[in-house]
């Protein structure tokens, strides 16, 4: 085969058994059908393979850790998966400039550990950190629990190296916090889901690790109280709030039941908030600040119960409950997930209206809600024990209701999971004609032949 001659036999997989790991889908919504997997070890090899595939009309699906939830790395017949997993080096850590250079296939957890070993912090925090890759994080503009303090992946990337659809290499590896020389090209590729280029390296921002960290878990009677608690936290611990997670009572109850972990409180509450306060002061000072803040929240009637973690182990246990929610949902039957964003002022009315409309039509549904309340990102997941009562298209019926209300409140149908193959039609329904025209013009100008990740996003 020509590709093997160009880069070596071990760079091209064609055996069905070898292809299998690259054809699976995290949510089992899509089944990949690529006939080959390309495994380059260098940017130059990526360039050679992309150019050779373009010359032969073979379209390419870039793939990172394959942990996405919208089919962004799913392949079709006649396509080739290009996996970056062999390009996984930590190239450089510059503690003076507070930057880190990594290859796109580097596992997120390894990147965080490497930064920590040098006394620095790379703050991206995801449940899939042990398997997701930096290139995929960049391609989807990953968010996670620390967005409130540090921003999403777009804010964490300073420079990129990208192989373009025609095989050319764009070297934008400038470790600069300020560069006002024309269009910020890196932003075209962050969040582009592999449709404009293959990210091969990145310069990432590093931060000083917090000197102290305090975790609290609160029980509340309403979403309105949780939003008011968030506003109070911003005033009482300004600049120190790094995470503020909302969890419904149903979600926590089911997670505790399926995991066997005791709930944090003896009494059940309608809603819960898990929050982290961290900064440049030690734990004792942060604990005092947190106690003052929570005391004020009790006085204002916002919180009915609260605990502050007494140790790192207890903090990890509380966060483990939050991270275990998706696994618990799998035990409830079939699930349809909605990764949405809303203005904070619209979250409570959205939840009320969505629940009312869904249960009026589909009374057997169970609704699990959790997410990053601080940045308006909710995971609105709907579970059904038995599909027979609603028919096979129940997911579409539920999605129509959820996304229509999201649009009504000027929200987003994708907050941090991307568009991929799953939400292409939703993008067209919820974007204006001008927005779609601009997106299509960008795609056509960089990838006029539709060479990269066809059928995704647009």
């Amino acid at each position: 085969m020509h590709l093997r001659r160009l880069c070596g036999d071990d760079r091209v997989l064609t055996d069905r058994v070898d292809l299998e790991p690259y054809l699976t889908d995290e949510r089992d919504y899509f089944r990949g059908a690529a006939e080959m997997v390309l495994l380059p070890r260098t940017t130059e090899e990526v360039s050679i393979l992309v150019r050779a595939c373009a010359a032969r009309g073979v379209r390419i699906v870039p793939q990172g850790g394959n942990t996405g939830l919208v089919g962004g790395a799913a392949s079709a017949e006649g396509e080739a998966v290009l996996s970056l997993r062999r390009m996984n080096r930590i190239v450089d850590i510059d503690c003076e400039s507070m930057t880190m250079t990594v290859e796109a296939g580097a596992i997120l957890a390894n990147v965080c550990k490497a930064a920590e070993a040098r006394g620095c912090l790379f703050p991206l925090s995801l449940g899939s950190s042990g398997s997701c890759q930096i290139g995929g994080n960049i391609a989807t503009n990953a968010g996670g629990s620390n967005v409130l303090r540090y921003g999403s992946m777009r804010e964490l990337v300073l420079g990129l190296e990208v192989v373009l659809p025609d095989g050319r290499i764009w070297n934008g590896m400038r470790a600069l916090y300020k560069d006002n020389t024309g269009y910020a090209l890196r932003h075209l590729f962050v969040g582009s889901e592999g449709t404009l280029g293959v990210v091969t390296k990145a310069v990432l921002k590093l931060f000083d690790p917090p000197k102290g960290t305090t975790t609290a878990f609160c029980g509340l009677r309403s979403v309105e109280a949780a939003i008011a608690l968030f506003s109070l936290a911003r005033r009482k611990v300004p600049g120190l709030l790094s995470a503020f997670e909302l969890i419904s009572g149903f979600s926590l109850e089911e997670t505790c039941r399926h995991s066997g972990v005791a709930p944090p409180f003896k009494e059940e509450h309608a809603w819960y908030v898990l929050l982290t306060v961290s900064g440049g002061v030690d734990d004792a000072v942060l604990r005092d600040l947190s106690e003052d803040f929570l005391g004020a929240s009790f006085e204002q009637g916002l919180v009915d119960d609260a605990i502050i973690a007494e140790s790192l182990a207890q903090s990890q246990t509380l966060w483990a409950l939050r991270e275990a929610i998706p696994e618990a949902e799998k035990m409830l039957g079939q699930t349809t997930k909605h990764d949405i964003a809303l203005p904070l002022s619209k979250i409570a009315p959205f939840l009320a209206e969505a629940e009312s409309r869904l249960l009026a039509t589909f009374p057997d549904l169970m609704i699990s809600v959790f997410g990053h309340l601080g940045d308006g990102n909710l995971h609105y997941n709907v579970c059904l024990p038995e599909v027979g009562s609603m028919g096979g298209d129940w997911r579409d019926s539920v999605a129509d209701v959820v996304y229509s209300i999201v649009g009504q409140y000027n929200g987003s149908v994708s907050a941090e999971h991307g568009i991929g193959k799953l939400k292409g039609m939703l993008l067209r329904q919820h974007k204006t004609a001008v927005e779609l025209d601009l997106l299509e013009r960008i795609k056509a100008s960089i990838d006029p032949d539709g060479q990269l990740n066809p059928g995704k996003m647009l």
Side-chain angles (χ1 to χ4, degrees):
M1 180 187 286
H2 178 66
L3 295 178
R4 285 196 169 99
R5 288 198 303 271
L6 289 174
C7 295
D9 288 345
D10 68 332
R11 299 329 195 246
V12 183
L13 304 180
T14 55
D15 186 274
R16 297 306 299 178
V17 175
D18 295 332
L19 295 181
E20 185 62 26
Y22 304 89
L23 306 180
T24 58
D25 178 65
E26 179 72 18
R27 290 168 65 178
D28 203 28
Y29 277 14
F30 303 100
R31 173 70 187 170
E35 298 169 4
M36 72 176 77
V37 173
L38 310 176
L39 293 164
R41 291 187 180 274
T42 67
T43 300
E44 289 69 27
E45 287 184 3
V46 174
S47 174
I48 291 169
L49 292 168
V50 168
R51 187 179 294 111
C53 286
R56 287 159 179 76
V58 177
R59 295 183 173 183
I60 289 175
V61 177
Q63 190 176 101
N66 204 17
T67 61
L69 300 177
V70 292
S75 57
E77 289 185 14
E79 296 174 353
V81 168
L82 193 152
S83 171
L84 281 297
R85 64 171 50 188
R86 288 180 175 173
M87 296 176 59
N88 56 18
R89 293 185 306 133
I90 309 296
V91 179
D92 178 61
I93 299 177
D94 185 341
C95 295
E96 290 185 348
S97 298
M98 294 299 282
T99 61
M100 184 178 193
T101 302
V102 303
E103 290 184 323
I107 300 294
L108 173 59
N110 295 340
V111 170
C112 294
K113 289 176 184 176
E116 183 180 4
R118 296 291 301 276
C120 301
L121 171 71
F122 182 66
L124 187 65
S125 178
L126 305 173
S128 59
S129 63
S131 51
C132 66
Q133 298 174 10
I134 288 295
N137 300 150
I138 292 169
T140 58
N141 188 28
S145 57
N146 283 333
V147 168
L148 183 61
R149 178 76 168 273
Y150 299 101
S152 63
M153 200 66 187
R154 188 177 301 281
E155 285 73 47
L156 300 176
V157 173
L158 289 174
L160 291 177
E161 179 185 76
V162 180
V163 175
L164 300 174
D166 59 6
R168 288 181 299 161
I169 300 171
W170 172 59
N171 184 346
M173 295 289 285
R174 299 176 185 87
L176 301 174
Y177 280 76
K178 284 187 174 182
D179 182 4
N180 205 10
T181 54
Y183 303 128
L185 295 179
R186 70 182 185 276
H187 290 308
L188 285 175
F189 300 99
V190 180
S192 67
E193 300 186 38
T195 61
L196 300 179
V198 181
V199 174
T200 51
K201 288 192 187 77
V203 180
L204 307 176
K205 288 183 185 178
L206 296 178
F207 297 82
D208 291 318
K211 188 175 180 181
T213 300
T214 299
T215 299
F217 202 90
C218 307
L220 310 94
R221 66 192 68 181
S222 69
V223 174
E224 290 86 348
I227 294 171
L229 181 67
F230 177 61
S231 296
L232 181 64
R234 286 186 297 183
R235 295 195 303 272
K236 291 290 187 179
V237 286
L240 298 175
L241 197 62
S242 59
F244 197 94
E245 300 287 297
L246 179 72
I247 304 171
S248 71
F250 175 79
S251 298
L252 184 68
E253 179 184 343
E254 291 301 314
T255 299
C256 291
R257 185 161 70 89
H258 288 291
S259 67
V261 177
F265 306 117
K266 292 182 180 179
E267 294 184 5
E268 295 181 357
H269 300 277
W271 294 92
Y272 299 90
V273 162
L274 174 61
L275 63 91
T276 297
V277 176
S278 63
V281 293
D282 61 29
D283 289 339
V285 175
L286 286 177
R287 186 178 182 87
D288 288 343
L289 289 171
S290 298
E291 288 177 350
D292 289 344
F293 150 62
L294 289 174
S297 72
F298 276 105
E299 291 175 2
Q300 296 182 25
L302 302 178
V303 171
D304 295 327
D305 208 345
I307 58 172
I308 297 177
E310 297 288 346
S311 64
L312 176 61
Q314 188 178 16
S315 175
Q316 291 173 337
T317 298
L318 294 174
W319 274 101
L321 281 174
R322 159 65 177 82
E323 298 298 343
I325 295 173
E327 197 62 34
E329 289 175 345
K330 294 178 182 179
M331 304 295 189
L332 296 173
Q334 294 198 33
T335 303
T336 181
K337 299 175 182 285
H338 311 92
D339 164 48
I340 59 175
L342 293 154
L344 285 179
S345 61
K346 303 300 182 184
I347 286 178
F350 164 82
L351 290 172
E353 184 172 348
E355 181 176 354
S356 175
R357 285 177 55 180
L358 286 174
L359 294 183
T361 308
F362 315 119
D364 295 334
L365 292 179
M366 296 176 289
I367 301 171
S368 176
V369 181
F370 64 99
H372 320 301
L373 184 65
D375 55 44
N377 176 196
L378 294 182
H379 300 298
Y380 192 87
N381 301 339
V382 179
C383 311
L384 185 66
E386 297 182 8
V387 178
S389 62
M390 288 180 57
D393 62 349
W394 72 278
R395 287 191 175 98
D396 292 336
S397 300
V398 169
D400 287 344
V401 173
V402 172
Y403 291 131
S404 68
I405 305 173
V406 169
Q408 173 186 324
Y409 288 115
N410 201 27
S412 171
V413 298
S414 178
E416 62 179 358
H417 292 167
I419 298 299
K421 193 172 182 178
L422 182 65
K423 295 186 176 182
M425 286 303 298
L426 281 171
L427 185 75
R428 294 198 167 275
Q429 293 168 9
H430 289 266
K431 289 288 188 183
T432 67
V434 172
E435 287 174 312
L436 287 172
D437 180 59
L438 290 172
L439 291 173
E440 289 168 348
R441 284 171 182 262
I442 291 170
K443 171 69 172 176
S445 67
I446 297 176
D447 186 17
D449 298 323
Q451 178 69 15
L452 291 182
N453 221 4
K456 314 297 167 42
M457 192 180 294
L458 295 172

